[in-house]
Amino acid sequence: MGPIDQSEALHRRARAFIEASLGVDGAGSAGAGRAAAASPPQGRGERGALPETFDALAIALARHQAAHCAPVARLFEARGADVAAMDHAAQIPAVPCDVFRFARVAAHPPEADERVFRTSGTSLGAASRGEHPFRTTATYELAALAWGERLLWPDGARLRAIVLAPPLHEAPDSSLGFMIDRFAARLSGPASWHVRGGELDAAGFARACAEARASGEPALVLGTSFAFVHWIEHLIEARLPEGAARLPEGSRVMQTGGFKGRSREVPAEELRASIARALGVPLSHVVSEYGMTELSSQLYEGTLAAALAGAPGAAPGLYLAPPWTRVTAVDPETLAPLPAGAIGLARIVDLANVDSAVAIQTADRVRVTAEGVELLGRASGAPPRGCSIAIDQMLGGGA
C-alpha cells in the first residue's frame, strides 16, 4: 500500500473514532451530544465501544508521519523514539508549532494538497507565516462540525450566522474562515459576513442584527476578539442607543483569537460582558474558542451547552477538548508531563491531524484539570528551551 492509500485508510480510522466517540452520523451531526457539554468517558462513545483505543490510533498516525515526513522523522531520531515500541501517545515526540513556519510538515507531496492553511503572521510578519497542508479536509470538517455542534448549537436550533470575519473567498488560507464557512453551511439559515477588504462593515452588521430581530430568528455571531473590540468601539463612538444591536432570545456568540501582535488588549471578562450587553445575550451564551492553524480540532468553553442543558453553571475560561484530542501540561524545560493542576505548556495530541503531526507542542501556558483546560496566555519572549531544542532537532541541528 502506497503512502496516499495509507493516508486514506488512516483518515477513515480517524473519522470512525470521531463518529463513535460522540455518537455522530457520517454527515457529522452530533445529535447524541445535544444534552451534554462534557465528553463521554474515554474508551466508549454514546453508541457503543470505540473502534480502537486513542493510543493505538495516535501511534499508527505517528508511525505514518515518521515514515513520510522528513522533519518528523528527524525529531523522532534525535529523541531516540522508536514508534514500533510505543504503546502510549505520551511517548510520541511533539512537533513545536514554530516548525510549521520553517519546514513543510506533511506526509504527502505538495501536488497532493487539497488546501493549505496559513497562520496570520500578526506577531512576526507575513514572511514568517506557518503553513499546514491538507491532503483532504474531510476529517477536519467532521471534527469541526461535530464538536462545534455539541458546544455551540447542542439544542439543534435554527440559527442565522452573522460573521465578524472575512468571507472565505477573501481569506482562502484561513482555517478559521474555512471552519466558519462550514458552520454557516451546516446551520442552513441566512448568513452574512461583515469584515470586507480588511474593514469592519458596521452598517451591514447592524442590518443583519435588525433582520434577525424582525424575523425573531436567533443568530450565532462568530468572530475574532479584535473584530468584536472594533465593533464595540464603533457603538461607543457612534453613540448608538442601548439595544440597537440586540438579538432575539436564543442567540449566542463564538469569539476566538487573542491580541497577539496588536496594540490593544482587552481583559477577557470585560470583552465577554461588553459583547453580552451589546447583543442582549446571557454571559453564558458568549463562548470562547481555542484553536490554531497547526491543529485540526478546537476547544470551547462549556458555558452555553451547560446552560441549555440546565446543568450547573460551567466556569468561563475553562475549555473542553473533544475526546479525539488529549491536552497535557508539560514542563517548559524538559517537556515532561506535569501533574494535574500544575501550570505548564500545552501539548496536544489531535487524532484529526492525520497527514502532519499528531502531537503538537504549543507555547501556550495552561492548567489542565478534570474540569477542563484553563488558558493562561502565551509564554513570553523566545520559545521555551524545550521547544527550542525540538525545533533545532527537526531542522537538522544538534540536540
Side-chain angles (χ1 to χ4, degrees):
M1 184 184 294
I4 299 298
D5 290 335
Q6 293 172 21
S7 166
E8 192 58 38
L10 288 167
H11 274 283
R12 287 195 296 269
R13 289 169 63 179
R15 292 194 292 270
F17 189 99
I18 292 168
E19 290 167 356
S21 67
L22 286 184
V24 303
D25 59 28
S29 175
R34 291 177 189 273
S39 306
Q42 186 68 40
R44 180 167 291 272
E46 293 176 349
R47 290 184 181 174
L50 293 171
E52 58 187 311
T53 68
F54 184 103
D55 295 286
L57 181 52
I59 292 166
L61 294 175
R63 184 177 298 119
H64 174 71
Q65 292 159 3
H68 301 290
C69 178
V72 172
R74 285 194 291 269
L75 177 64
F76 281 31
E77 182 179 3
R79 295 288 181 85
D82 180 2
V83 288
M86 291 179 185
D87 56 12
H88 197 279
Q91 297 168 313
I92 302 171
V95 173
C97 291
D98 277 350
V99 169
F100 287 77
R101 295 195 291 118
F102 302 119
R104 178 179 168 86
V105 184
H108 61 276
E111 57 268 24
D113 289 346
E114 176 182 308
R115 188 175 285 270
V116 178
F117 293 137
R118 295 179 175 86
T119 59
S120 61
T122 50
S123 59
L124 294 171
S128 296
R129 297 176 71 187
E131 295 189 347
H132 189 175
F134 283 77
R135 190 190 62 77
T136 172
T137 59
T139 304
Y140 181 102
E141 291 182 49
L142 175 66
L145 287 166
W147 201 234
E149 181 170 348
R150 190 164 178 121
L151 276 299
L152 296 175
W153 61 96
D155 51 350
R158 174 179 166 81
L159 301 165
R160 64 173 59 217
I162 304 177
V163 184
L164 280 175
L168 185 59
H169 69 83
E170 286 193 14
D173 58 359
S174 165
S175 57
L176 175 63
F178 183 84
M179 181 182 78
I180 290 177
D181 184 81
R182 296 305 185 264
F183 281 3
R186 171 56 59 86
L187 292 169
S188 300
S192 56
W193 280 257
H194 302 288
V195 174
R196 301 275 184 170
E199 298 292 331
L200 174 67
D201 175 20
F205 185 81
R207 285 194 300 272
C209 292
E211 290 169 3
R213 284 197 305 276
S215 68
E217 186 175 65
L220 170 59
V221 182
L222 309 111
T224 64
S225 299
F226 210 73
F228 279 111
V229 168
H230 276 289
W231 172 66
I232 290 168
E233 289 177 342
H234 164 77
L235 293 181
I236 296 170
E237 292 170 2
R239 298 185 178 180
L240 296 177
E242 186 173 346
R246 186 171 294 273
L247 292 171
E249 184 178 354
S251 296
R252 68 280 316 253
V253 177
M254 184 207 84
Q255 61 160 326
T256 185
F259 300 90
K260 184 174 60 174
R262 302 296 185 179
S263 59
R264 181 176 175 206
E265 296 189 17
V266 179
E269 287 313 303
E270 179 184 330
L271 181 57
R272 183 192 307 274
S274 296
I275 293 171
R277 185 167 53 251
L279 295 175
V281 302
L283 285 171
S284 61
H285 287 40
V286 180
V287 178
S288 292
E289 180 253 15
Y290 173 76
M292 61 182 64
T293 303
E294 298 85 359
L295 293 173
S296 297
S297 301
Q298 300 79 35
L299 284 69
Y300 296 94
E301 293 173 314
T303 54
L304 171 67
L308 293 176
L318 283 177
Y319 292 74
L320 303 180
W324 55 90
T325 69
R326 190 175 286 170
V327 184
T328 308
V330 300
D331 183 276
E333 294 285 330
T334 66
L335 302 183
L338 297 172
I343 296 174
L345 300 182
R347 167 196 160 95
I348 304 174
V349 179
D350 182 359
L351 298 183
N353 257 11
V354 174
D355 291 312
S356 53
V358 65
I360 295 292
Q361 182 58 59
T362 80
D364 294 326
R365 297 169 63 249
V366 296
R367 179 187 288 112
V368 183
T369 66
E371 286 70 41
V373 179
E374 182 182 359
L375 300 180
L376 302 170
R378 291 178 63 82
S380 60
R385 185 172 182 273
C387 295
S388 182
I389 291 173
I391 292 170
D392 188 42
Q393 290 169 335
M394 292 191 73
L395 299 179

